Amino acid sequence: RSFTSQTDGEARVTQVLREKFPRASAIKVVDISGGCGAMYEIHIESEEFREKRTVQQHQMVNQALSEEIKSMHGLRIFTSTPK
Amino acid sequence: MSGVVRAAWRLGAAAARGQVRRPLSQAATGGAEGSPGGAEGSGGGSGSREAVERLVREHPVVVFMKGSPAQPLCGFSNAVVQILRLHGVEDYRAHDVLQDPDLRQGIKNYSNWPTIPQVYLNGEFVGGCDILLQMHQNGDLVEELKKLGIRSALLDAEKDQDKK
């Protein structure tokens, strides 16, 4: 699969994250189920995560994607704050 | 040490990817759905808040996973088991959510977290396998275990290394 193309699922998840995390400095969504839309890996860096425990940061992402998650088998979340 | 976890991780992740090829109708009942299929167990089913509360308080270390520590059935659940094993934590409560659909949904409602595995330390939800891996890598897990009165095996391993 070409690195420059993005699946519809990746684009949709990225869009939702952009809306829900307006202060995010970096968002990367990768379909790790071979394009099936069943499992995603999400990297998101945002000032909104500062001073929050990792599990709280992940909860924020879970809440933001609650609709999309319903049709996923699994997801991996990596959150960070800008240096 | 981390090489062992990475190796276990790759094996586990490959297994997880294999599982992903299930038809979507089955996948929809997999680990990541957020909304309850049926009502949250009321009046004391195995998935009710009371029942889950009892389970998470049963032991300082409680894990809700797919399969068992002896035979994990999911790469992410396997990663949790392997990480705990590296720290010498073999005595903990593990609940196989594949054996109990009510518990499987109930634990997700309880923690407001859509996926399995889920790790609880001292009755408090700590996170899934990504978070446990992060805690393992940055040393937080050794500290959290110490708070529970559990001495991580890795502390002894480090001491041996210092002696060389």
Side-chain angles (χ1 to χ4, degrees), chain B residues 40-108:
Chain B
E40 177 179 333
S42 54
S46 60
S48 69
R49 279 207 89 79
E50 298 78 29
V52 172
E53 184 86 29
R54 269 196 301 275
L55 291 180
V56 306
R57 296 198 186 293
E58 232 179 6
H59 193 277
V61 182
V62 180
V63 173
F64 297 85
M65 61 183 287
K66 295 183 178 179
S68 66
Q71 187 160 42
L73 295 179
C74 149
F76 303 118
S77 290
N78 184 38
V80 166
V81 169
Q82 296 305 327
I83 291 170
L84 291 175
R85 184 163 294 155
L86 277 175
H87 288 263
V89 181
E90 301 268 16
D91 172 32
Y92 56 94
R93 291 288 170 278
H95 299 281
D96 182 358
V97 302
L98 297 177
Q99 300 291 330
D100 185 342
D102 287 340
L103 177 61
R104 185 175 181 172
Q105 191 53 54
I107 192 66
K108 293 175 190 171

Side-chain angles (χ1 to χ4, degrees), chain B residues 99-120:
Chain B
Q99 300 291 330
D100 185 342
D102 287 340
L103 177 61
R104 185 175 181 172
Q105 191 53 54
I107 192 66
K108 293 175 190 171
N109 297 341
Y110 181 84
S111 58
N112 193 24
W113 186 269
T115 51
I116 303 292
Q118 296 190 9
V119 179
Y120 290 76

Side-chain angles (χ1 to χ4, degrees), chain A residues 4-38:
Chain A
T4 56
S5 67
Q6 193 179 42
T7 67
D8 287 345
E10 287 169 348
R12 192 168 50 248
V13 173
T14 306
Q15 187 51 35
V16 173
L17 289 172
R18 280 216 190 95
E19 286 167 18
K20 301 275 171 72
F21 294 97
R23 298 173 67 192
S25 40
I27 296 177
K28 184 167 107 155
V29 177
V30 183
D31 182 323
I32 54 175
S33 58
C36 292

Side-chain angles (χ1 to χ4, degrees), chain A residues 32-34 36-39 53-56 58-59 62-63 66 69-79, chain B residues 9 17 20-22 27-28 30-35 66 76 111-115 124-127 130-131 134:
Chain A
I32 54 175
S33 58
C36 292
M39 196 170 298
R53 281 186 286 138
T54 309
V55 66
Q56 288 173 301
H58 287 209
Q59 278 288 29
N62 285 337
Q63 312 286 27
S66 57
I69 285 175
K70 284 178 197 168
S71 53
M72 290 178 197
H73 174 76
L75 76 166
R76 307 196 56 200
I77 300 173
F78 299 91
T79 52
Chain B
W9 175 255
R17 277 197 289 278
V20 158
R21 306 221 192 286
R22 295 203 312 252
E33 81 275 18
S35 71
K66 295 183 178 179
F76 303 118
S111 58
N112 193 24
W113 186 269
T115 51
E124 193 186 319
F125 177 57
V126 156
D130 289 339
I131 291 179
Q134 197 175 318

